[in-house]
Amino acid sequence: MENPQISLTIRNVSKTYANGVHALSNVTLDIPRGMYGLLGPNGAGKSTLMRTLATLQEPDEGSIHLGDIDVVRQKEEVRQTLGYLPQEFGVYPKVSAEEMLDYFAVLKGITQRASRKEVTESLLKQTNLWDKRKQKLGGFSGGMKQRFGVAVALLGNPKLLIVDEPTAGLDPAERVRFLNLLSEVGENSVVLLSTHIVEDVSELCTNMAIINKGQILLQANTQQAVAELEGRIWRKLTDKSNLPALEQEHQVISAKLLSGRTMVHIYSEENPGNGFDLALPDLEDVYFSTMTGNYGQPQKVKEEVQL
Ligand code: ADP
């Protein structure tokens, strides 16, 4: 409503750490308003990208724009309009939620008492912590702490909210509540959710990217990416001992234990026979087939060849 045009544009961003690790290689992404999922395994480069977007570190190469703000050069301007919820969010255990939020609001530059009261009250209500506002943060559950982190991150009405691996350690109900909250925020801002949990992305993110070893392997509309795989994912319940032979013969993208047996998913554009049934693809299939090089990259290569 307020920022209808806001979007984040990342162009050819690379970062090599002093130890020689290429944490980001030529990353290019277009991130529109709404919830965007950045999915990848540990060590993929997600936090490096998040910290770079949050102006905590600089890329070696490339450019980043939030609307018309140059994120690399105009750090102060970005910080004015950025909310960042890091993986580990430290709080003072003996302070109440209300006092702590009020304190962060002062730091954010909301110096007028009356407007601060208004802002903190509205954020505590939005994050469903109003009833708990007098409680000390030390007694908060994991989910409450995360929601409090969102309240802090939302001070100053950011155009960009960055959330790094937020659902680890939340119980299922807390997780749903937390993700719904983010999705509400996404109605007016860019919300970038970095995670290694496929369900976090499949349930809420309209658009997504898959990153591995510092490279973007796939950038897509989440539903379209799943639809693209229709007719290409086949499954079979088998014994674990058959797995090596199946791997020789097929493009195995995942093998999961299912009540003592192994559910194997393979990628094949034609019926592979051999007792495989057509599976209804989901985002996990997109993720694994991209990570195993069966999807995403080959498509990209095709596009490049066409050009
Ligand atoms: P993710 O958040 O996806 O787990 P990171 O961005 O934390 O990935 O890490 C990407 C790669 O960069 C990893 O190989 C990691 O070990 C390395 N790395 C991260 N931070 C640093 C650093 N400050 N110095 C050197 N290497 C780092």
Side-chain angles (χ1 to χ4, degrees):
M1 231 159 54
E2 203 172 314
N3 308 310
Q5 301 303 329
I6 195 72
S7 69
L8 184 64
T9 315
I10 304 172
R11 289 286 172 273
N12 309 104
V13 165
S14 295
K15 173 76 186 176
T16 303
Y17 285 111
N19 59 2
V21 173
H22 298 298
L24 297 173
S25 301
N26 213 13
V27 168
T28 289
L29 289 173
D30 285 293
I31 303 182
R33 185 165 54 97
M35 259 181 99
Y36 192 96
L38 182 68
L39 190 59
N42 289 332
K46 301 183 296 298
S47 294
T48 300
L49 185 60
M50 300 294 117
R51 287 198 301 266
T52 308
L53 298 174
T55 74
L56 300 173
Q57 64 183 67
E58 286 193 7
D60 298 334
E61 281 172 59
S63 67
I64 305 168
H65 286 87
L66 176 63
D68 49 17
I69 306 174
D70 183 330
V71 173
V72 182
R73 294 200 173 82
Q74 298 172 277
K75 292 200 177 61
E76 278 312 312
E77 283 87 339
V78 184
R79 286 172 193 164
Q80 291 287 321
T81 188
L82 168 90
Y84 177 51
L85 183 63
Q87 266 174 34
E88 294 284 316
F89 181 74
V91 289
Y92 294 94
K94 293 190 176 150
V95 180
S96 76
E98 192 176 42
E99 286 167 314
M100 192 81 218
L101 191 60
D102 184 70
Y103 172 72
F104 280 124
V106 175
L107 292 185
K108 197 80 193 182
I110 313 174
T111 45
Q112 267 193 323
R113 215 162 188 274
S115 56
R116 214 161 61 232
K117 199 164 188 300
E118 202 179 303
V119 168
T120 53
E121 178 173 331
S122 129
L123 284 175
L124 286 168
K125 284 183 175 160
Q126 190 185 353
T127 51
N128 218 350
L129 291 170
W130 181 246
D131 296 343
K132 319 275 184 213
R133 67 189 183 280
K134 307 279 181 207
Q135 277 187 28
K136 293 195 169 49
L137 290 164
F140 270 25
S141 69
M144 285 157 71
K145 269 190 203 148
Q146 286 289 45
R147 279 184 281 133
F148 181 73
V150 174
V152 174
L154 287 181
L155 283 166
N157 200 12
K159 290 185 198 144
L160 171 63
L161 178 65
I162 294 175
V163 195
D164 204 353
E165 302 270 356
T167 58
L170 299 190
D171 70 39
E174 280 178 334
R175 182 174 159 272
V176 168
R177 212 176 297 139
F178 179 76
L179 291 174
N180 284 340
L181 170 62
L182 289 186
S183 144
E184 260 174 51
V185 175
E187 287 169 17
N188 288 315
S189 317
V190 178
V191 178
L192 187 52
L193 175 70
S194 142
T195 183
H196 64 270
I197 302 169
V198 176
E199 289 80 36
D200 283 354
V201 175
S202 64
E203 286 169 19
L204 284 163
C205 298
T206 318
N207 295 290
M208 54 157 298
I210 295 177
I211 185 169
N212 191 31
K213 297 183 181 152
Q215 291 183 313
I216 302 296
L217 300 183
L218 179 76
Q219 179 172 195
N221 171 283
T222 310
Q223 281 180 359
Q224 274 171 13
V226 174
E228 283 271 323
L229 275 186
E230 269 168 34
R232 302 195 218 171
I233 301 295
W234 304 79
R235 62 178 197 173
K236 174 165 140 169
L237 200 57
T238 185
D239 285 326
K240 194 168 172 235
S241 56
N242 295 329
L243 196 53
L246 290 174
E247 276 171 341
Q248 288 288 320
E249 213 174 320
H250 303 282
Q251 309 283 340
V252 173
I253 59 162
S254 66
K256 264 204 256 182
L257 266 182
L258 198 70
S259 4
R261 304 196 78 204
T262 300
M263 177 59 86
V264 178
H265 280 206
I266 66 166
Y267 180 97
S268 171
E269 298 190 359
E270 279 148 28
N271 189 339
N274 209 358
F276 278 95
D277 291 322
L278 195 58
L280 201 59
D282 59 19
L283 194 60
E284 208 169 82
D285 294 313
V286 172
Y287 180 63
F288 288 123
S289 54
T290 302
M291 293 295 291
T292 50
N294 291 295
Y295 180 68
Q297 262 174 331
Q299 261 213 336
K300 227 186 202 170
V301 171
K302 260 187 236 157
E303 277 166 25
E304 276 163 19
V305 169
Q306 278 165 8
L307 288 172

